[in-house]
Amino acid sequence: MAELFHVPLSPFCRKVRLSLAEKKIEVKLIEERYWEKDPAFLRRNPAGKVPVLKIDGHVLSESAAICEYLEEVHPEPSLMPSEPLARFEVRRLVAWFDDKFHHEVTSKLLYERVNKKVMKQGFPDSGNVKAGAKAIKYHLDYMAWLLDHRRWLAGDRMTLADFAAAAHLSSLDYIRDVDWNRSDVVKDWYAKIKSRPAFRNILMDNVAGFPPPAHYADLDF
Amino acid sequence: MAELFHVPLSPFCRKVRLSLAEKKIEVKLIEERYWEKDPAFLRRNPAGKVPVLKIDGHVLSESAAICEYLEEVHPEPSLMPSEPLARFEVRRLVAWFDDKFHHEVTSKLLYERVNKKVMKQGFPDSGNVKAGAKAIKYHLDYMAWLLDHRRWLAGDRMTLADFAAAAHLSSLDYIRDVDWNRSDVVKDWYAKIKSRPAFRNILMDNVAGFPPPAHYADLDF
């Protein structure tokens, strides 16, 4: 069986978990305290971060590269369109969330509130938390603008772009940092994706010291 | 003709320029002072950064997504292998350079020394410069380790991974931050890639206030 070294609230790990689950690839989840720099883990991934996926006898790192590999080797159900411009749009949005959204929002909220405590790196920086709370509004509005024009974020079908976005938002929702009242279309989109069987495992996550809010796993939030 | 909005020393723009040139796609280069947040530019790319490529009637952003698009629409000459695991390795290394190397090295050297001055954001932070100068050694050693086992970074043929790496290293070489004496295999690899016709345009770059060292454009450095 495939093995995924991960941490529960990492949006990069969640994106891979969603891809694996949607494609019905069975995987054993192994929590990896990557910040403790265990030598055995560093051998698996010299970049020293999660996710790391052991599959088909290979050890793979970098979440976007992993998802493209899964798509090529397990093409059904497909999470990428077939037309080059549509594929470009999926990749652009995956990069938007994993790079820009992560830098402006996730790293400013989740990392300050959770990772710092778990990794014993001190207290949240209130300037960062404030900047993240401000930036997420702008990103939710951008998502609403996309979803006013499309059924899913990158077009008319669900793709990796939706999983990348839902991975970040679900981690932030766990710590009550998403204002679902800001946009009805974004809330409807999240309700649709949250109710997929692939999402169940994500909704069962529980991090010691950080109990999720009641609405986190509620499909009718 | 295609148009690329870019800044000369950006490794992300250089990666796209190398892909375009290798595929012999003619492009008009337009310098874009993206940090001045010109509204017309923000309409082209809401992420507010370069590169932005206008091609085939589309406006594309995010360098990795652009390169995948070019590869799919203009497959010859190919910069990606055909086998999924080999494609994974290319994507892993592109992410390694554009994410990890950029964060640990390029942003600490190039951004401190050049971008801050050009964008009038103050003086280089000496702690960052020191950290970048230390980290590049570790990365050059990692490249040497890869090149001890392979002709090119991701395998036996030149791929996007080589362009991603060469884009970062060429920008750092422009400001004299690469110690080519550290590894013969890395130097040989760079000499090979530097002598390609696709590289010529990169070697002619000249940024006002930052004259390149004599060896920068020298193929026999």
Side-chain angles (χ1 to χ4, degrees):
Chain A
M1 198 200 294
E3 292 181 340
L4 184 72
F5 297 85
H6 83 126
V7 294
L9 294 186
S10 155
F12 305 101
C13 298
R14 286 183 164 207
K15 184 179 58 182
V16 174
R17 288 163 70 190
L18 288 168
S19 284
L20 288 164
E22 189 72 20
K23 291 173 180 296
K24 299 197 171 50
I25 303 168
E26 272 200 90
V27 63
K28 184 181 164 192
L29 294 179
I30 301 165
E31 265 197 66
E32 176 62 57
R33 300 169 70 84
Y34 61 90
W35 56 94
E36 292 175 357
K37 296 190 188 297
D38 172 43
F41 180 68
L42 287 173
R43 271 196 300 279
R44 282 191 289 270
N45 180 15
K49 59 183 186 179
V50 289
V52 168
L53 179 67
K54 284 175 95 165
I55 192 168
D56 311 333
H58 312 300
V59 180
L60 313 181
S61 58
E62 286 298 338
S63 66
I66 291 173
C67 290
E68 296 262 7
Y69 173 84
L70 292 176
E71 187 63 23
E72 293 184 354
V73 177
H74 302 271
E76 296 295 332
S78 168
L79 293 170
M80 281 289 271
S82 55
E83 196 272 317
L85 191 66
R87 294 165 70 81
F88 160 79
E89 182 64 354
V90 171
R91 291 176 175 131
R92 180 186 76 82
L93 285 169
V94 170
W96 177 285
F97 286 99
D98 285 349
D99 182 16
K100 188 176 173 68
F101 186 95
H102 181 258
H103 179 72
E104 296 177 0
V105 180
T106 312
S107 71
K108 302 249 178 338
L109 295 172
L110 189 71
Y111 285 34
E112 290 292 341
R113 292 199 211 275
V114 179
N115 297 34
K116 271 189 168 174
K117 186 170 173 192
V118 172
M119 299 177 189
K120 300 192 171 72
Q121 289 178 350
F123 295 100
D125 176 306
S126 63
N128 278 344
V129 170
K130 219 168 149 179
K134 190 175 164 193
I136 193 174
K137 294 180 188 173
Y138 157 76
H139 282 279
L140 289 172
D141 291 350
Y142 180 57
M143 290 176 71
W145 180 81
L146 291 173
L147 292 166
D148 275 338
H149 297 75
R150 304 165 172 179
R151 276 192 64 210
W152 296 90
L153 286 174
D156 282 338
R157 12 180 314 213
M158 190 187 70
T159 66
L160 270 177
D162 298 288
F163 280 0
H168 283 271
L169 287 179
S170 64
S171 295
L172 292 166
D173 191 36
Y174 188 98
I175 54 169
R176 302 173 171 79
D177 268 331
V178 185
D179 174 10
W180 295 114
N181 292 321
R182 191 167 177 89
S183 156
D184 284 343
V185 283
V186 174
K187 189 176 177 182
D188 289 349
W189 164 86
Y190 190 62
K192 258 195 303 185
I193 205 163
K194 194 175 179 180
S195 64
R196 297 188 80 79
F199 227 83
R200 264 181 224 149
N201 181 274
I202 300 268
L203 299 180
M204 291 188 318
D205 278 342
N206 207 312
V207 181
F210 295 92
H215 75 264
Y216 172 72
D218 185 357
L219 296 184
D220 193 20
F221 56 108
Chain B
M1 197 199 297
E3 292 182 341
L4 184 72
F5 297 85
H6 83 126
V7 294
L9 294 186
S10 156
F12 304 101
C13 297
R14 285 184 165 205
K15 184 180 61 183
V16 173
R17 288 164 71 190
L18 289 169
S19 283
L20 288 164
E22 189 72 21
K23 292 175 180 296
K24 298 197 170 55
I25 303 168
E26 273 199 272
V27 64
K28 185 181 165 192
L29 295 178
I30 301 165
E31 266 197 67
E32 177 64 58
R33 300 169 71 84
Y34 61 90
W35 56 93
E36 293 175 357
K37 298 191 188 293
D38 172 43
F41 180 67
L42 287 173
R43 271 196 300 278
R44 282 190 288 271
N45 180 14
K49 59 183 186 178
V50 288
V52 168
L53 179 65
K54 283 175 91 163
I55 191 168
D56 309 334
H58 313 301
V59 180
L60 313 181
S61 57
E62 287 298 338
S63 66
I66 291 173
C67 290
E68 297 261 9
Y69 173 83
L70 292 175
E71 186 64 22
E72 294 184 354
V73 177
H74 301 272
E76 296 297 332
S78 168
L79 293 170
M80 281 290 269
S82 54
E83 196 271 317
L85 191 66
R87 294 164 70 80
F88 161 80
E89 181 66 354
V90 171
R91 291 179 175 129
R92 180 185 76 84
L93 285 169
V94 170
W96 177 285
F97 286 100
D98 285 348
D99 180 17
K100 188 174 172 70
F101 186 95
H102 181 257
H103 180 71
E104 295 176 0
V105 181
T106 312
S107 71
K108 300 245 178 339
L109 295 172
L110 190 70
Y111 284 34
E112 290 292 342
R113 291 199 212 275
V114 178
N115 296 32
K116 271 190 170 175
K117 187 170 171 190
V118 171
M119 299 178 189
K120 300 193 170 73
Q121 291 178 349
F123 296 100
D125 175 305
S126 64
N128 277 344
V129 171
K130 222 169 148 180
K134 192 175 164 194
I136 194 174
K137 293 180 188 172
Y138 157 78
H139 282 279
L140 289 172
D141 291 350
Y142 180 58
M143 291 175 72
W145 180 81
L146 290 173
L147 292 165
D148 275 338
H149 296 75
R150 304 165 172 178
R151 277 191 65 209
W152 295 90
L153 285 173
D156 283 338
R157 9 178 319 210
M158 190 185 72
T159 66
L160 270 178
D162 298 288
F163 280 180
H168 283 271
L169 287 180
S170 64
S171 294
L172 292 166
D173 191 37
Y174 188 99
I175 53 169
R176 301 175 172 78
D177 268 330
V178 184
D179 174 10
W180 295 114
N181 292 321
R182 189 166 178 89
S183 157
D184 284 344
V185 285
V186 174
K187 189 177 177 179
D188 289 349
W189 163 86
Y190 190 62
K192 257 195 304 186
I193 205 163
K194 193 175 178 178
S195 65
R196 297 188 79 81
F199 227 86
R200 261 179 226 150
N201 181 272
I202 299 269
L203 299 180
M204 291 189 315
D205 278 342
N206 207 310
V207 181
F210 294 92
H215 75 263
Y216 171 71
D218 186 357
L219 297 184
D220 193 21
F221 56 110

